[in-house]
Each structure stands twice: as C-alpha cells, then as structure tokens.
Amino acid sequence: MVDTNHSQSAIANSPPKRVLMGIGGGIAAYKVCDAISTLFKAGVEVRAILTNNAKEFITPLTVASLCRHPAYTDDYFWQPTHYRPLHIELGEWAEVFVIAPLTANTLAKLSLGLADNLLTNTVLASTCPILLAPAMNTDMWGQLAVQRNWQQLLLDPRYHSAGPEIGLLACDRVGTGRMAEPEEIVPWIFSLLHTGGKRDLAGKRILISSGGTREHLDPVRFIGNPSTGKMGLAIARAALHRGAKVTLVTSAALTPAPGEGIEIIRVVSAQEMQQQLLAQFPEADITVMSAAVADVKPTFYSPEKLPKRSLPDTLPLTPVPDILAELGQRKQSHQLLIGFAAQTGDIFAPALEKLQTKKLDAIVANPVDLVDSGFGSDRNQAIFLDNQGGKKAIAPCSKLQMAHHLFDFIR
Ligand code: CTP
C-alpha cells in the first residue's frame, strides 16, 4: 500500500501541488498508473506525457482517466492549436517532473541534451527537480554506454534517482533493472515537493533506529510493543532524499527496498540494537532514535520452546540498557542526537525531562493515544523541543512530512 496521506494536510489550505509524469516505453509503465492514482487521491494535480513507445504498453486513455486530464502524446506536440508551445507550458507548470520508466533510449538522449519528442523537449524547457526511475534488462543496464550516460546525467543536480531495483524482470531474468515500486517513488515525489530538490543534508551521515525491539523468553514468545517502524522509515527516506548517507538500524519488518540507497542493519533485541548503534555512532553526524526499545527483558531465556505447563506464573524481568542515554554520554560536540518520547496524556513535561536527562539536542514529544498519531498509523503529530528552549508543534500530517519538519527544525 502506498501512503496516500502525505499531502492532504500540506495542501489543505494551499493550491494543489503539480507533478508531471513522463512515461517511457517499458512494461513497468503499468506501475506508473498506480503512482498517478495515489498522487491524485492525495490531492496532487498530475499531468502526463507518453512517448510513442509508452503507448505500446499503456494507453493515453488509461493515463487520462487516472489524471482526470488529457494525457499528452507527440500527436499533441505537433498540433498547431496551442497559443504557446506545449513543452514550454508543461515545463513551466511542473513543480516536480518524474520520468518513469526511464528507458535506455531516453536516458541516452537526456545525457546528451537531445530533444526529439514532447518528453525530452519538456525536460529542456523545465527547471524543476526531475526524478528518474530507470527500468531495463540487466544486461542493458550494465552496458558501459548506459552506465556512462547514467553517471553523466546524475552530475546535474536537478536529477534525482529512484532505483533501479534488483528483482525478477519481464525477460524472466533476476537482476538489476527493475523499476522502483510506487511505494518508493511516491514518497520521493512528496519529498521533492517539500524540498524543491535541495540537498541540505548532503555530506552528512545519518543514523536512525526504528521498530520495536523484541525481548525473547523463548524462540516463540517475547516482550514487545506495537511499533511498526513506519516513522523511522519515513525519517530514513526524508534524510536520503535530502542528500544524506543513511544507515537504518531496525527491528521492524518494514524496511526500505534493497536498491533504495539506505544501509539496513537488522536487529531483534535491545542488546543487539545497542551493539549496532554504538558501533555506528562515532561516524554519525545526526542520530535519530525513533525505535521503541523495550524497557525490560525476561531475566531467563530458554533456547527451546517452553511447554505451556512450564510457563512461570510470574515473569522475572531485568531492565535493558537505555541506549539513547548512553549515546548522550558519548556524544561529541559536532554530533546531533534526537530522541522520541512516546507518551500518553501530558506529552510535554515527560519529553522535556527526557531531553535533559538523556543529554539530547532535540526530542519529538509524540502522543501515541490520539487518532492520526503514533504506533502503526500512517500519520503522526508531535511537539518538537530542542535544548535551546525552541519548540514547534506539528499538526497531524504524514510520517514523511513529519520527518521533513523534523529536519527543518534541527537545521
Ligand atoms: N530509549 C532507548 N533505550 C531504552 C528505552 C528508550 O534508547 N531502553 C529511547 C527511545 O528510543 C526514545 C527515548 O529513549 O528515543 C525515549 O523512550 P520512551 O520509551 O519514550 O521513554 P523511556 O526513556 O523508556 O522512559 P519511560 O518508559 O519511563 O517513559
């Protein structure tokens, strides 16, 4: 499921955001339909251009129906009915331009600045950020010429890239070349709408924890909590989209795709999370501890599943280390350390106390007992507090948007 919540609150009182989809000729074009549908449901205005080859895979009628607007093809480009050239109109209109699937042919043209159809002319006639989602057979993707074109194109800071992923391709090969899924592309688009394409975290290493830890009694029973890792994933994506090098230490099943560009370190327990975070921490410029770490673990662990009759009437518990407090002790002056305070009832006072006692630079006071907030929800709300007395309330919004607000706040 793609998160459709992102823009609703962002655009409630402002004009709709404008996204231009450039669709190339590849079987992955069908996935673009899903992305357009998600954007439309979130209140984004979408216009689309199909290349002649794209029309072999999906029809302009499909795309027009999803956009609630005619889909542009080269037939429109050459019609003398526009009072201004269509590629100029579309190029000026777009806030974010997405080219998906990006074929080897369109990639080659863009790397040379060639313009021989509506899509490539509109690229040259626009200045907004462009998100590229390549899709092709593994051998095509691996060609020296294709890789040279790709690297050449990415030298231009207006281009951002999603994928390609490793997976089963339409040619039945398994390898690199699969187009990024809409679940990856849509958050990228929302990030670009938020940032305008700026990479204000470029050169920064960002360490994030996510998910609820599991403290096992035996191989099948554990103490845990309802955290799903959605907030941590959103923070990781927002940081990546703003140019950072991101490592996510996670106990959640929900993780970025392997080709998304986020280093993933999987853990289960608080102790494993502590080991991994302590190892990564010295290199991190910013650390965001969004994981819901269990506070206690069963004192005894059975490596074999305990039969029901052997389960104790009362369970002896041992505290687990407070990882964030330990990071606060180790923090150097150039590092920023951000915590979360998952609270019910009064969120402010406990969050302020955690900010001070754990020696944090900022904390997210996060109500987990409200609608549109907390564990498992696609949306969240919070009050950000910093150690200088700064404070910012964030109304309910998508978790990705909350993540961007957090980076705006700490910068
Ligand atoms: N945290 C941690 N290690 C723990 C417990 C919490 O690193 N053993 C971190 C969390 O990741 C979060 C912050 O500390 O960033 C606050 O966690 P929270 O559960 O809200 O509070 P606790 O410190 O556990 O205190 P309490 O449960 O009493 O509210």
Side-chain angles (χ1 to χ4, degrees), residues 350-404:
L352 190 60
E353 191 192 330
K354 288 170 195 179
L355 172 74
Q356 289 162 351
T357 56
K358 300 194 192 207
K359 300 193 180 344
L360 309 179
D361 297 286
I363 194 157
V364 177
N366 189 195
V368 292
D369 55 348
L370 302 180
V371 180
D372 269 348
S373 197
F375 299 130
S377 171
D378 287 327
R379 293 164 69 74
N380 214 349
Q381 55 189 296
I383 301 173
F384 300 156
L385 306 172
D386 70 23
N387 63 3
Q388 311 288 310
K391 182 176 164 187
K392 186 170 170 60
I394 304 296
C397 59
S398 78
K399 287 188 167 174
L400 182 72
Q401 198 166 26
M402 166 86 90
H404 281 296

Side-chain angles (χ1 to χ4, degrees), residues 37-336:
S37 172
T38 303
L39 291 167
F40 179 84
K41 286 179 198 156
V44 177
E45 265 189 59
V46 188
R47 301 280 180 270
I49 300 170
L50 285 84
T51 64
N52 280 333
N53 288 340
K55 289 192 292 181
E56 301 292 328
F57 291 92
I58 54 172
T59 71
L61 180 60
T62 311
V63 177
S65 305
L66 294 168
C67 295
R68 278 63 158 183
H69 191 278
Y72 297 106
T73 62
D74 282 359
D75 300 338
Y76 281 84
F77 191 28
W78 305 116
Q79 274 176 14
T81 52
H82 313 295
Y83 78 101
R84 290 183 77 211
L86 182 57
H87 59 299
I88 311 287
E89 282 285 298
L90 288 171
E92 288 177 359
W93 177 86
E95 285 179 86
V96 170
F97 196 168
V98 183
I99 304 181
L102 175 71
T103 60
N105 188 38
T106 299
L107 167 58
K109 286 194 251 181
L110 295 183
S111 74
L112 289 172
L114 289 179
D116 67 344
N117 58 10
L118 178 58
L119 192 152
T120 47
N121 274 281
T122 307
V123 168
L124 296 189
S126 59
T127 55
C128 63
I130 299 183
L131 179 64
L132 303 170
M136 63 196 80
N137 157 276
T138 303
D139 288 336
M140 292 172 78
W141 177 248
Q143 290 297 327
L144 199 58
V146 172
Q147 285 304 308
R148 191 186 55 218
N149 291 339
W150 180 238
Q151 296 309 328
Q152 173 72 26
L153 204 53
L154 294 184
L155 290 177
D156 181 341
R158 76 179 294 218
Y159 289 108
H160 301 255
S161 66
E165 297 290 342
I166 300 168
L168 179 64
L169 306 172
C171 55
D172 282 339
R173 289 267 300 277
V174 175
T176 305
R178 201 179 149 84
M179 194 177 89
E181 298 296 324
E183 288 82 351
E184 180 181 340
I185 291 176
V186 170
W188 249 114
I189 295 170
F190 284 125
S191 285
L192 293 174
L193 287 170
H194 182 95
T195 63
K198 76 173 182 289
R199 292 176 173 86
D200 58 353
L201 294 178
K204 301 284 181 206
R205 297 177 77 101
I206 308 221
L207 179 61
I208 296 154
S209 70
S210 75
T213 64
R214 293 180 173 193
E215 312 304 325
H216 276 267
L217 169 65
D218 68 16
V220 301
R221 300 185 182 92
F222 59 85
I223 293 176
N225 60 65
S227 169
T228 56
K230 284 184 182 174
M231 191 66 234
L233 175 59
I235 296 168
R237 282 185 168 149
L240 176 81
H241 300 165
R242 293 168 82 131
K245 189 169 179 324
V246 183
T247 300
L248 181 66
V249 177
T250 182
S251 51
L254 185 70
T255 56
E260 213 168 317
I262 295 170
E263 184 191 11
I264 305 166
I265 301 176
R266 293 177 193 278
V267 297
V268 176
S269 65
Q271 192 180 348
E272 288 171 14
M273 186 170 274
Q274 178 195 32
Q275 280 168 0
Q276 293 298 337
L277 286 172
L278 291 182
Q280 298 291 327
F281 186 64
E283 304 300 320
D285 297 296
I286 302 173
T287 300
V288 185
M289 190 77 195
S290 70
V293 185
D295 293 313
V296 289
K297 64 177 180 183
T299 305
F300 304 106
Y301 174 72
S302 164
E304 299 292 332
K305 182 189 168 192
L306 292 166
K308 218 179 339 185
R309 64 178 178 283
S310 306
L311 290 174
D313 292 338
T314 56
L315 189 62
L317 299 173
T318 303
V320 301
D322 190 317
I323 307 169
L324 187 59
E326 191 170 354
L327 297 179
Q329 296 293 340
R330 296 180 181 215
K331 186 167 75 80
Q332 304 291 310
S333 56
H334 68 278
Q335 294 180 301
L336 285 180

